[in-house]
Amino acid sequence: MPDQTDKQTFSDQDALDFHRVPTPGKISMAPTKPMATQRDLSLAYSPGVAIPVLAIAQDADLAYDYTAKGNLVAVISNGTAILGLGNLGHMASKPVMEGKSVLFKRFADVDSFDVEVKTTDPDEFITVVKNIGDTWGGINLEDIKSPECFVIESELQDLLDIPVFHDDQHGTAIISTAGLINAAHIAGKKLEDLKVVLVGAGAAGLSSIALMKAVGVRAENTVILDRDGVIYKGRDNVDQWKAAHATDTPHRTLAEAMVGADVVLGLAAKGAITKEMVASMAPNPIIFAMANPDPEITPEDVASVRSDAIMATGRSDYVNQVNNVLGFPYIFRGALDVRARQVNHEMKVACAQALAALAREDVPDEVAAAYSGRKLKFGPDYIIPTPFDPRLIWYIPPFVAQAAMDTGVARRPIPDMDAYRAQLRERVDPSAALMQKISSAVRAAPNKRVVFAEGEEATVIRAAWGFKQAELGTPILVGREDLIRQNAAEAGLDFDALGIEIVNARVSHKNTEYTDFLYDKLQRRGYLRRDVQRMINQDRNYFAASMVARGDADAVVTGSTRNFNMVLKEVRRVLDVKERMIGLSIMLARGRTLFVADTSIHELPDAEELAEIAIQAAATVRRLGRTPRVAFLSYSTFGNPPGDRGEKVREAIRILDRKGVDFEYEGEMPPELALDPEARANYPFMRLSADANVLVMPAIHSASISTRLVQALGGATVIGPLLVGLEKSVQIVSLGASVSEIITAATFAAYDGVEVNEG
């Protein structure tokens, strides 16, 4: 059994303060259009708003084009079954519904608002929602007690032409089914052979067993229990929803049903399952104790009687959390993007199967960071993806959308699923569009051989694996082969399947050649031949750089185990500077891409260096497919106030004037002039035809501090700094870089020399 993770605790006052301070509640509205001028106001409201009003009056479906309807979900409840707390009223449910809206936005970029309906009568509730339902692109029903929830969802789906989804039922069903698929695989059991016991025949339980049957569990192998015991055929006091799952079984108690069972699903209450019951189950039992806040049986109690069990709960402080946030944001994302009329059974199955498949993939470092560095790997401790897996947004919705298209409930089919996945990446990752373009260019170019210098490190091994799987080139790992293979095996990676190369510097047949080459460069700089031999043998940066210098590889990525300056000095002893060497950071913020230089090389550049930094940055930006517009940033604005640093910037402008460069440039100026056309109105002499996209900083400290500050405040994604100007392609990542950061650096390293069209 897995160990319990560190529990996260907080006081009641902490929870109250979180919801009250600094602003009551958890959601607010942000306009999507600027409201800065009288024209904006006229277009947004009267008289301009009349034009889309008349268009929608003629064709109601145009609301998807002219309003937020297509990305808007209502979270609706009457508070009759709040988070396992019971019927506490519609207003008591509001914090939960707001929370649901926050999760929609955070995980799938779906806009959502909560609606609390003051009635416990199903017919009244249906009437209210029916009459306001057209406002949204979809409706998420929440915390409505059973069996009324079945009636409400079914009737609203018939009455409305948009998806209606009761998450308490189907969200739990989707996630638990995904977990069951993987748990059965790990246990070496087939779905059709599983004997499944369900404890708790409420909405979530019945929906879960129904979905599990849809993926292969046989109805005759299931036993379902409610408060009165086993639901068997012929039993009295059973409603139509429970009766649909009744089986011919001799069992009448949970203890009887658990004997020899492969799976038990708990959606009941604390203590419903005992140690004795668990002990009586079949080998390698699968136990999903999903009651909240306290499971039917704790993992600790299960571990005390079974060492072979695969365990999941509904709690975040144990492994394998059955968390609905893995389902509803992505179900609705896919449904909204094809303008689906409903969320049908096939879409739920597709979601469950996609989640199961994703859990078998290598887990990104971003996930480990969200879980205090705990490394997750497919197995008994990890059968369900975690909510903070960044791949969920682009991995799951396409399967949902495809199922909607295949079953005829999609109004607007998606013609290109690859393009759709790229768009989904951009919703939560501003760098996705740029990286998609760079990656596509690398794949289309001749295959590049990229050396991963720190090849024994687990993160580097996984990055090389990801680089190869993405077909971005051929990775070469430098290190001891036995250790690399051992670390790869521990990460669940099969190098032989992909053909990743491994080179041991100490025993390489190229060792003598590289030593001769490097000694020839360093013999008049104080190095003896034995010094160089030791460098080649023992330092992978020297060896990796020599590989590209001698044409045995095309590029190098390194830096995850040493600081930047140390790595750069080592690489510079092997490789010469072809042009002005700079560090260029890419900052993606609020829909725009900015290139910032110099962020890693020149501490206090003089005027000549500033001019050369601008030239190199502009050339690099052009190679990245963009038209450069350079702004030299300063504390002063065209000489006001005067000062030495400002004068250096002005001299850099004069140098560029004399050189006659082929890109736009201007300075010196503060950031608002570079990025705001209205601010530039007071300076009609400025030469920039549009907002600057290359920002040349007056010193390395201002460049580094500004990019890191914006990133720390959550206002931007920063890539780099990219190393530009060496004779061969080398990228140096930051100390302790993640797998995704190393892959990004390797992709840029492979990209060097690839030409794309400007855009």
Side-chain angles (χ1 to χ4, degrees):
M1 279 297 297
D3 294 331
Q4 182 180 350
T5 63
D6 294 333
K7 293 182 183 294
Q8 297 178 354
T9 60
F10 51 83
S11 67
D12 290 354
Q13 190 59 48
D14 289 337
L16 292 172
D17 289 344
F18 179 84
H19 287 79
R20 181 175 59 87
V21 178
T23 302
K26 301 187 287 293
I27 59 175
S28 65
M29 186 191 80
T32 61
K33 302 294 189 294
M35 298 300 295
T37 66
Q38 179 63 38
R39 183 175 184 274
D40 294 338
L41 183 61
S42 298
L43 286 168
Y45 200 57
S46 182
V49 75
I51 309 305
V53 166
L54 293 172
I56 294 170
Q58 293 294 318
D59 181 358
D61 276 351
L62 289 177
Y64 283 100
D65 297 315
Y66 299 130
T67 75
K69 176 183 172 78
N71 195 51
L72 194 61
V73 168
V75 180
I76 305 182
S77 179
N78 62 2
T80 53
I82 303 174
L83 283 181
L85 300 173
N87 184 356
L88 299 179
H90 68 293
M91 285 311 298
S93 74
K94 190 171 180 65
V96 182
M97 302 310 116
E98 280 192 355
K100 201 81 170 189
S101 295
V102 170
L103 298 178
F104 265 116
K105 188 64 177 178
R106 163 62 179 82
F107 290 104
D109 194 29
V110 172
D111 295 320
S112 174
F113 287 96
D114 58 297
V115 178
E116 291 74 38
V117 181
K118 187 180 179 180
T119 182
T120 59
D121 180 84
D123 291 333
E124 287 186 9
F125 188 97
I126 290 167
T127 298
V128 169
V129 178
K130 176 192 71 173
N131 288 328
I132 63 174
D134 285 345
T135 299
W136 295 280
I139 290 175
N140 185 101
L141 299 172
E142 191 78 16
D143 289 356
I144 302 170
K145 70 183 181 73
S146 175
E148 287 91 334
C149 61
F150 296 115
V151 176
I152 289 171
E153 183 194 39
S154 178
E155 292 201 21
L156 283 175
Q157 188 60 86
D158 288 341
L159 292 167
L160 296 172
D161 200 27
I162 57 174
V164 179
F165 183 84
H166 184 214
D167 186 49
D168 298 304
Q169 293 181 58
H170 308 301
T172 302
I174 289 166
I175 314 310
S176 61
T177 299
L180 181 67
I181 292 170
N182 281 340
H185 174 80
I186 293 167
K189 301 180 179 183
K190 296 181 179 179
L191 291 172
E192 59 266 28
D193 296 333
L194 293 177
K195 295 181 179 179
V196 181
V197 177
L198 168 63
V199 189
L206 295 180
S207 294
S208 296
I209 205 70
L211 198 61
M212 290 174 182
K213 290 177 183 178
V215 298
V217 173
R218 293 177 178 172
E220 61 268 25
N221 289 344
T222 63
V223 178
I224 301 169
L225 296 95
D226 62 8
R227 290 186 180 88
D228 298 321
V230 173
I231 299 172
Y232 55 88
K233 287 189 176 180
R235 199 189 97 175
D236 295 333
N237 72 329
V238 177
D239 62 40
Q240 66 189 80
W241 296 281
K242 294 178 182 179
H245 297 284
T247 56
D248 286 321
T249 175
H251 304 311
R252 294 296 181 265
T253 67
L254 177 57
E256 294 173 2
M258 290 275 283
V259 176
D262 297 292
V263 182
V264 61
L265 309 173
L267 285 155
K270 177 182 179 181
I273 299 172
T274 67
K275 293 182 182 181
E276 292 75 18
M277 294 175 185
V278 170
S280 73
M281 295 180 71
N284 302 315
I286 299 166
I287 302 165
F288 289 3
M290 297 177 281
N292 267 318
D294 298 303
E296 289 79 2
I297 186 170
T298 66
E300 294 88 347
D301 283 346
V302 170
S304 70
V305 293
R306 299 296 295 253
S307 62
D308 59 343
I310 299 175
M311 182 85 188
T313 72
R315 290 176 56 143
S316 61
D317 50 3
Y318 292 109
V319 298
N320 294 330
Q321 183 190 17
V322 179
N323 190 329
N324 287 15
V325 79
L326 290 167
F328 69 84
Y330 311 110
I331 278 276
F332 273 99
R333 181 74 275 153
L336 291 171
D337 290 340
V338 295
R339 297 183 184 175
R341 291 185 164 85
Q342 61 179 258
V343 174
N344 59 28
H345 204 59
E346 291 81 1
M347 295 162 72
K348 299 168 197 171
V349 169
C351 185
Q353 291 174 332
L355 285 167
L358 181 60
R360 303 186 190 193
E361 302 283 344
D362 186 41
V363 183
D365 282 358
E366 293 89 335
V367 176
Y371 289 88
S372 304
R374 181 164 60 93
K375 173 60 182 166
L376 301 173
K377 176 184 173 184
F378 180 64
D381 297 5
Y382 178 71
I383 59 174
I384 309 168
T386 64
F388 291 99
D389 192 322
R391 299 168 298 177
L392 287 161
I393 180 61
W394 60 262
Y395 194 97
I396 307 301
F399 287 97
V400 176
Q402 188 65 57
M405 292 157 54
D406 292 343
T407 54
V409 299
R411 287 186 183 87
R412 187 181 66 178
I414 295 171
D416 186 341
M417 277 295 173
D418 288 336
Y420 177 51
R421 289 184 183 91
Q423 292 168 8
L424 290 170
R425 286 177 185 265
E426 293 178 47
R427 282 190 172 273
V428 294
D429 181 5
S431 67
L434 174 66
M435 290 310 303
Q436 178 73 21
K437 188 171 186 176
I438 300 300
S439 298
S440 297
V442 169
R443 292 189 189 98
N447 180 71
K448 293 292 185 73
R449 292 163 55 83
V450 178
V451 183
F452 290 72
E454 299 146 312
E456 295 174 358
E457 299 299 313
T459 53
V460 176
I461 292 170
R462 291 168 53 216
W465 172 271
F467 184 82
K468 179 69 172 179
Q469 275 201 318
E471 299 179 343
L472 294 166
T474 299
I476 303 170
L477 289 168
V478 177
R480 291 165 289 183
E481 183 168 357
D482 56 345
L483 183 56
I484 290 174
R485 289 190 176 277
Q486 177 185 330
N487 290 339
E490 290 177 359
L493 307 178
D494 181 5
F495 272 17
D496 293 328
L498 285 184
I500 294 175
E501 297 182 33
I502 300 173
V503 177
N504 187 334
R506 185 179 291 275
V507 300
S508 169
H509 69 280
K510 291 282 188 176
N511 191 291
T512 301
E513 177 187 335
Y514 295 165
T515 299
D516 292 342
F517 160 74
L518 188 55
Y519 180 57
D520 187 57
K521 291 179 70 73
L522 300 181
Q523 59 190 349
R524 295 183 181 275
R525 292 163 57 182
Y527 290 87
L528 300 177
R529 194 178 194 286
R530 62 173 176 265
D531 298 326
V532 175
Q533 178 71 71
R534 186 164 47 249
M535 291 156 63
I536 293 294
N537 278 349
Q538 299 179 5
D539 194 300
R540 287 153 199 167
N541 286 327
Y542 289 112
F543 186 87
S546 296
M547 287 186 72
V548 297
R550 301 298 294 166
D552 296 322
D554 299 296
V556 175
V557 59
T558 184
S560 66
T561 62
R562 300 184 191 177
N563 68 58
F564 181 92
N565 289 331
M566 181 181 293
V567 175
L568 182 60
K569 286 179 181 178
E570 293 170 348
V571 170
R572 283 280 290 107
R573 292 187 180 111
V574 182
L575 299 172
D576 295 330
V577 175
K578 181 176 63 174
E579 302 166 299
R580 171 67 60 178
M581 188 169 61
I582 67 170
L584 183 69
S585 293
I586 305 174
M587 187 163 61
L588 302 109
R590 299 192 177 185
R592 72 167 89 202
T593 301
L594 300 174
F595 301 87
V596 184
D598 172 11
T599 50
S600 63
I601 305 298
H602 299 87
E603 184 176 0
L604 288 170
D606 58 25
E608 184 69 36
E609 288 171 330
L610 284 171
E612 291 182 7
I613 288 169
I615 292 170
Q616 181 68 290
T620 304
V621 169
R622 184 166 280 136
R623 286 199 299 271
L624 292 173
R626 305 294 177 96
T627 301
R629 292 182 296 276
V630 178
F632 287 82
L633 297 192
S634 173
Y635 67 94
S636 64
T637 306
F638 300 114
N640 183 33
D644 290 342
R645 291 307 302 172
E647 177 55 34
K648 289 184 180 180
V649 176
R650 291 190 288 276
E651 177 59 23
I653 294 293
R654 291 191 286 268
I655 292 171
L656 292 183
D657 289 343
R658 292 194 295 269
K659 287 179 177 290
V661 295
D662 62 349
F663 57 86
E664 295 182 18
Y665 59 93
E666 187 59 280
E668 82 282 18
M669 68 182 77
E672 60 268 23
L673 289 191
L675 304 175
D676 184 356
E678 292 190 7
R680 293 197 295 274
N682 292 323
Y683 303 90
F685 56 84
M686 286 186 68
R687 293 176 287 192
L688 295 180
S689 62
D691 291 352
N693 58 3
V694 181
L695 307 180
V696 175
M697 295 292 190
I700 194 172
H701 59 267
S702 56
S704 179
I705 290 171
S706 59
T707 53
R708 293 185 183 185
L709 178 61
V710 173
Q711 186 176 29
L713 292 173
T717 295
V718 178
I719 298 174
L722 304 177
L723 186 61
V724 178
L726 284 176
E727 61 173 322
K728 299 290 184 178
S729 180
V730 177
Q731 291 302 330
I732 303 173
V733 299
S734 60
L735 185 67
S738 69
V739 170
S740 62
E741 289 169 337
I742 297 170
I743 293 175
T744 296
T747 305
F748 275 102
Y751 179 81
D752 190 45
V754 175
E755 296 294 336
V756 296
N757 295 326
E758 290 187 11

